Amino acid sequence: EAQVTQNPRYLITVTGKKLTVTCSQNMNHEYMSWYRQDPGLGLRQIYYSMNVEVTDKGDVPEGYKVSRKEKRNFPLILESPSPNQTSLYFCASSYIGNEQFFGPGTRLTVL
Amino acid sequence: SQQGEEDPQALSIQEGENATMNCSYKTSINNLQWYRQNSGRGLVHLILIRSNEREKHSGRLRVTLDTSKKSSSLLITASRAADTASYFCATDNAGGTSYGKLTFGQGTILTVHP
């Protein structure tokens, strides 16, 4: 089944404790992206990647890192999480210039 | 800043009625995409319309794009209770990297009453 998977789905952590949210797709898509969704703000793009080893900043990259070492994986890294990074995070993938397929979301709470 | 802005923010209709949502944007785009989201779950793609297209249909959905006015509309005909969801437009903005920098609007919450 074609899909985008994210892990974990739910995470509660404390300020400053490094964490990684994984994202994987099995559709051989070149493009992958991370978004955060907050009430009243819609979805905002954090980082995106056009292919392996090619990443670029979205609208809200501060406090996040990404890497794209393999085509199928695009992990989101929070080196030192803070409470303002409490949010619902979505990973998505697509062929470049086409519709995106979204993962189920990761609900992160930073205390 | 958010480029896509949806209007209205919320829409409440009866089953069988049509629902129209609008999206405006500010800069040049490669394409505009409409998505649906059910209550905090993942987004599902509905329609993608490219900058050189003016109208697209998919089942009960009709999307128009007016690049001169920088606006798009999503029409859902003969709505059903199952159409109740949030609907988002997203613009794939033309720029130095050509594709990939997507900007989502804040969404329209559609409620269809049985």
Side-chain angles (χ1 to χ4, degrees):
Chain A
E1 180 191 353
Q3 61 182 348
V4 178
T5 56
Q6 295 178 228
N7 282 291
R9 295 287 315 280
Y10 302 91
L11 180 60
I12 300 174
T13 189
V14 295
T15 299
K17 186 176 181 183
K18 181 179 178 179
L19 66 93
T20 299
V21 184
T22 64
C23 174
S24 183
Q25 51 95 3
N26 62 0
M27 294 168 278
N28 203 36
H29 288 157
E30 304 97 346
Y31 176 91
M32 297 185 76
S33 183
W34 276 103
Y35 301 89
R36 60 177 290 172
Q37 184 175 28
D38 302 288
L41 296 175
L43 278 89
R44 293 177 292 169
Q45 190 175 43
I46 303 171
Y47 270 96
Y48 61 100
S49 170
M50 302 289 271
N51 215 325
V52 175
E53 303 291 1
V54 180
T55 62
D56 212 341
K57 295 178 181 178
D59 289 322
V60 289
E62 295 78 19
Y64 304 95
K65 283 176 59 177
V66 293
S67 69
R68 188 91 182 272
K69 295 186 172 61
E70 304 167 283
K71 198 172 188 179
R72 63 183 294 127
N73 296 322
F74 191 45
L76 179 70
I77 303 155
L78 285 72
E79 295 269 2
S80 183
S82 62
N84 65 12
Q85 292 178 298
T86 291
S87 188
L88 180 57
Y89 291 87
F90 289 102
C91 179
S93 72
S94 74
Y95 294 114
I96 291 174
N98 286 284
E99 66 272 15
Q100 297 192 34
F101 292 81
F102 280 78
T106 294
R107 192 168 291 278
L108 172 65
T109 301
V110 183
L111 302 174
Chain B
S1 63
Q2 290 290 333
Q3 160 144 279
E5 296 291 338
E6 280 103 348
D7 168 57
Q9 292 186 334
L11 182 60
S12 183
I13 59 175
Q14 296 295 129
E15 250 187 345
E17 294 180 338
N18 295 342
T20 299
M21 289 160 264
N22 303 297
C23 172
S24 61
Y25 57 92
K26 298 188 177 77
T27 65
S28 298
I29 62 171
N30 292 310
N31 61 63
L32 187 145
Q33 304 170 31
W34 284 93
Y35 290 86
R36 165 196 168 124
Q37 182 182 37
N38 286 85
S39 192
R41 301 178 72 173
L43 280 75
V44 175
H45 175 260
L46 298 176
I47 290 185
L48 181 152
I49 186 165
R50 301 194 187 279
S51 59
N52 60 353
E53 297 175 311
R54 292 296 166 258
E55 187 171 313
K56 278 187 97 166
H57 296 256
S58 176
R60 293 184 296 112
L61 307 180
R62 172 177 168 255
V63 167
T64 61
L65 178 65
D66 186 335
T67 52
S68 66
K69 294 181 179 177
K70 291 186 168 60
S71 67
S72 173
S73 67
L74 170 67
L75 168 67
I76 303 174
T77 59
S79 63
R80 306 165 182 167
D83 294 329
T84 294
S86 293
Y87 292 82
F88 295 89
C89 70
T91 51
D92 193 339
N93 308 322
T97 52
S98 298
Y99 289 99
K101 197 171 190 314
L102 263 72
T103 305
F104 280 78
Q106 295 185 20
T108 293
I109 300 171
L110 173 66
T111 303
V112 182
H113 300 281

